[in-house]
Amino acid sequence: MTTIGLVRHGITDWNIQGIAQGSSDVPLNETGRQQAESLANRLAAEENWDLIISSDLSRAKETAEIIGRKLYLPVSHFDTRLRERSGGKIEGTTERERLEKWGPDWRNLDLAMEDLGEATERGLACLEDILENFHGQRVLLVSHGALIGLMLQKLMPEKFKETSMDNTSITMLKNADSRWDCSLYNCTVHLAKSESY
């Protein structure tokens, strides 16, 4: 059985301000670093992990490196397939700015956003590579909210009709005999209990 822990990066200033990030390279803020430390403490207190793979965008990369230091695991590699879905022209804008610029139907316009299906497929290709190359291991993937949600909806459409991923949440997937199971979803108990670790 292969176990994959899907981690969303820590919070950024753009998250707080409601600005679309997409593939823009936005760093963690201090709260995001503290969130990553809290998750790292939780993971170190639980079961062992074999390797960490991360998106190459700095908010995910730094989250992964903070976790890695605590687990004494270097980040194995930074995979562009784990990047957030590109937001095209909406990156760097708030909902209010999008409404002002493009009107209430902006979601239906061609604003150069990455196709949902293409984003999902590159994420799933990364998962398939992990199943092939790290079969039977426990792998942490540090990625982004929308991409994690898209992958979950594709893998388990009955279970995940909608998804919402919190910063530094962990979602646990297990794959045995080519069947996926989700034993934990969007869990952030470490943020409430960080002082107890």
Side-chain angles (χ1 to χ4, degrees):
M1 181 170 63
T2 306
T3 301
I4 296 176
L6 294 170
V7 173
R8 185 187 177 199
H9 62 80
I11 204 164
T12 70
D13 286 343
W14 280 24
N15 283 143
I16 293 169
Q17 295 160 18
I19 298 172
Q21 294 182 119
S23 58
S24 296
D25 202 10
V26 183
L28 295 180
N29 61 22
E30 196 50 47
T31 301
R33 293 183 189 99
Q34 291 168 3
Q35 290 175 331
E37 290 280 358
S38 296
L39 176 57
N41 288 334
R42 170 187 178 176
L43 293 172
E46 293 176 352
E47 296 178 55
N48 292 332
W49 292 90
D50 295 305
L51 71 152
I52 304 170
I53 299 170
S54 173
S55 155
D56 66 325
L57 295 178
S58 60
R59 57 193 185 273
K61 184 178 180 182
E62 189 176 2
T63 301
E65 288 170 339
I66 290 169
I67 293 168
R69 282 195 294 272
K70 197 71 173 181
L71 300 184
Y72 301 102
L73 273 181
V75 180
S76 174
H77 65 275
F78 299 99
D79 196 321
T80 56
R81 294 175 298 179
L82 293 174
R83 283 186 167 201
E84 184 59 291
R85 177 192 179 206
S86 172
K89 295 177 182 175
I90 76 160
E91 291 186 11
T93 67
T94 62
E95 176 69 12
R96 181 174 163 185
E97 288 168 337
R98 293 190 283 276
L99 290 171
E100 287 174 358
K101 196 165 187 177
W102 297 298
D105 293 327
W106 66 265
R107 286 179 179 81
N108 299 320
L109 301 177
D110 180 7
L111 298 174
M113 296 174 73
E114 183 179 8
D115 179 77
L116 283 169
E118 289 176 6
T120 306
E121 288 308 313
R122 65 175 163 83
L124 293 181
C126 182
L127 291 187
E128 289 300 321
D129 282 355
I130 288 166
L131 293 181
E132 185 176 332
N133 297 315
F134 305 107
H135 179 74
Q137 297 191 51
R138 295 173 54 82
V139 183
L140 281 173
L141 291 187
V142 183
S143 187
H144 305 265
L147 187 70
I148 292 171
L150 289 170
M151 290 192 290
L152 291 174
Q153 288 172 16
K154 183 73 172 183
L155 291 174
M156 288 169 272
E158 307 255 320
K159 186 177 178 84
F160 295 110
K161 292 185 170 42
E162 291 183 4
T163 54
S164 177
M165 315 309 296
D166 295 318
N167 289 106
T168 66
S169 65
I170 183 163
T171 296
M172 298 289 290
L173 298 181
K174 296 181 188 299
N175 185 284
D177 302 321
S178 299
R179 290 176 58 97
W180 289 99
D181 178 57
C182 180
S183 58
L184 187 70
Y185 168 69
N186 191 38
C187 184
T188 55
V189 66
H190 49 279
L191 297 182
K193 296 182 177 178
S194 60
E195 292 178 5
S196 68
Y197 287 110

